[in-house]
Amino acid sequence: MKTIIAACSQNLSGSRASIQTALRTLLAVPWPSQRDVRSALQLLAVLQWVLSFLLLGTVSLLLLIYLLFTSLWLVPVLYLAWIIFDWDTPEKGGRRLPCLRRWTVWKHFRDYFPVKLVKTHDLSPNHNYIIGSHPHGILCVGAFCNFITGSTGFEELFPGIRSCLTTLAGNFRLPVFREYLMSGGLFPVTRRAIGYLLSQKGTGNAVAIVIGGAAESLSCRPGLTTLILKNRKGFVRMALRHGAFLVPSFSFGENDLFRQVVFEEGSWMRSIQRRFQKMMGFAPCLFYGRGLTSGRSRGFLPYARPITTVVGEPVAVPKVENPSRELVDRYHELYIRALLKLFDENKTKYGLSEADELHIL
């Protein structure tokens, strides 16, 4: 019996010593600093955004198709019925949830790059506006952060103005993803949707359009700013029909977020990209950014590069129900001049040199 008690005592002493050693080892490990915690939260905020835009629609579609062949088949059937009933909502003002603009996650998203919004002129709430957003870049980070989230203070800088952003109409055909987009204040870039926002919602509306679109993303690369704008005049015609003022904006640093394999014009790969763009509405870009574990590794996350979106001087536009081609051309030229002025006056302030030029195709 004494032998058993002695053995137990020895085991308890050994266990106690092991626990004390483990505790000392744990306490010796440095706790993450506030800076490390902030960096992790910023990285997670960007990760959820990238995954949402790249995968949410496709994954939701595949999941609903799978459920059709299970005992939960009623779920996709009911959701399909809901989509049919709700089909026109994206083009009739959508279904925005204002609380989403105030999510703390968007502040972490903003601080990752960071993103900054600069105001150069007032926007009167007595008018409606079409804001041209340039350049497109790969994922339109500047446009999303400034015109969809409230993290950069758009509503404070422009009191009485409600901003929204347009995107490809095909995105609103994807299940679940359409609800995600509408809840944030995104709308299809169609005449019907833009016309509704400019005619049925009173004044003080600012509709942001990434004018270069998918074609412009194919020319996105660091150190070169090329805009697809010369023959993009539909937004000017819409502005004239509704008397909406035209406002240029430029996101300095947008093209520095990713590295892209750019194929030269005339190459067979460029031809494939163009054909895919015409069929699907978006261009398949071969790009890469940083990895999840290290900024030096390669992955699908954007690099942490500062983005400064400068909103320029509005171009006053009259309301003309059936504008002529000459009138559209005149205001298109006025818009380009305002954009070039905005770029030249701010390029040296936000990372470019005096020699850098804006190329408009």
Side-chain angles (χ1 to χ4, degrees):
M1 185 60 123
K2 290 181 179 180
T3 304
I4 295 174
I5 293 173
C8 289
S9 299
Q10 188 174 0
N11 288 338
L12 287 173
S13 299
S15 300
R16 200 177 295 115
S18 299
I19 293 172
Q20 290 174 348
T21 302
L23 286 174
R24 281 195 294 269
T25 303
L26 181 62
L27 293 173
V29 176
W31 289 86
S33 64
Q34 289 185 347
R35 181 179 179 181
D36 293 334
V37 173
R38 284 197 301 268
S39 297
L41 290 174
Q42 291 166 11
L43 190 63
L44 289 174
V46 174
L47 176 64
Q48 66 82 25
W49 180 79
V50 172
L51 291 179
S52 296
F53 271 85
L54 294 182
L55 298 177
L56 181 59
T58 303
V59 171
S60 299
L61 179 61
L62 293 176
L63 178 60
L64 289 174
I65 293 174
Y66 168 76
L67 290 177
L68 277 173
F69 301 95
T70 69
S71 58
L72 298 176
W73 60 269
L74 190 58
V75 174
V77 169
L78 290 176
Y79 185 70
L80 177 61
W82 161 253
I83 288 181
I84 295 173
F85 173 78
D86 196 54
W87 190 260
D88 291 334
T89 298
E91 294 188 322
K92 291 185 176 181
R95 194 165 41 246
R96 176 186 291 193
L97 297 177
C99 61
L100 294 187
R101 293 175 64 93
R102 298 188 293 271
W103 270 7
T104 303
V105 68
W106 301 130
K107 294 181 180 179
H108 297 306
F109 179 88
R110 171 201 65 194
D111 294 338
Y112 170 84
F113 298 96
V115 182
K116 181 181 179 183
L117 181 64
V118 176
K119 166 185 173 181
T120 61
H121 292 78
D122 291 329
L123 298 182
S124 170
N126 296 322
H127 300 287
N128 284 326
Y129 302 90
I130 290 180
I131 300 178
S133 180
H134 310 274
H136 182 284
I138 297 294
L139 293 178
C140 304
V141 172
F144 175 86
C145 191
N146 288 296
F147 303 128
I148 290 300
T149 78
S151 61
T152 56
F154 183 93
E155 294 178 350
E156 289 74 24
L157 288 174
F158 302 100
I161 304 297
R162 299 175 297 276
S163 64
C164 60
L165 180 65
T166 57
T167 185
L168 291 173
N171 289 331
F172 294 88
R173 304 297 179 250
L174 293 172
V176 181
F177 191 45
R178 69 191 293 273
E179 321 300 340
Y180 176 77
L181 294 177
M182 282 194 291
S183 66
L186 284 101
F187 300 90
V189 60
T190 61
R191 292 181 181 179
R192 185 182 180 190
I194 297 172
Y196 187 94
L197 293 168
L198 296 176
S199 62
Q200 303 296 320
K201 292 286 187 176
T203 59
N205 300 293
V207 182
I209 304 175
V210 186
I211 298 168
E216 193 171 279
S217 66
L218 295 177
S219 301
C220 168
R221 70 181 84 174
L224 179 64
T225 306
T226 301
L227 304 184
I228 307 298
L229 179 59
K230 192 171 291 185
N231 295 318
R232 300 290 175 98
K233 301 178 180 180
F235 73 102
V236 178
R237 186 172 287 104
M238 288 294 297
L240 284 164
R241 285 177 177 171
H242 298 281
F245 288 14
L246 292 168
V247 183
S249 73
F250 194 92
S251 293
F252 293 91
E254 183 73 45
N255 284 351
D256 299 329
L257 303 182
F258 294 95
R259 301 291 183 268
Q260 181 181 183
V261 180
V262 179
F263 301 100
E264 298 299 326
E265 290 292 345
S267 65
W268 65 275
M269 279 299 296
R270 190 71 160 193
S271 300
I272 291 175
Q273 287 178 316
R274 295 291 189 193
R275 290 176 183 175
F276 192 93
Q277 174 201 331
K278 290 180 180 179
M279 290 188 298
M280 304 300 295
F282 65 94
C285 302
L286 297 179
F287 66 90
Y288 65 89
R290 60 156 290 178
L292 182 60
T293 58
S294 170
R296 297 178 181 177
S297 61
R298 291 189 179 184
F300 57 89
L301 295 178
Y303 291 108
R305 302 286 188 269
I307 303 173
T308 304
T309 301
V310 184
V311 179
E313 182 178 4
V315 177
V317 175
K319 185 174 182 179
V320 181
E321 188 172 346
N322 294 304
S324 64
R325 179 180 298 180
E326 292 76 16
L327 189 63
V328 171
D329 289 343
R330 186 200 311 171
Y331 280 94
H332 185 262
E333 181 62 30
L334 289 174
Y335 176 82
I336 291 179
R337 289 180 189 175
L339 177 60
L340 290 171
K341 179 183 177 184
L342 173 69
F343 180 83
D344 290 334
E345 288 180 350
N346 292 277
K347 60 184 179 182
T348 57
K349 299 178 184 177
Y350 305 114
L352 301 181
S353 68
E354 191 65 44
D356 285 315
E357 296 182 353
L358 194 59
H359 303 277
I360 297 179
L361 301 179

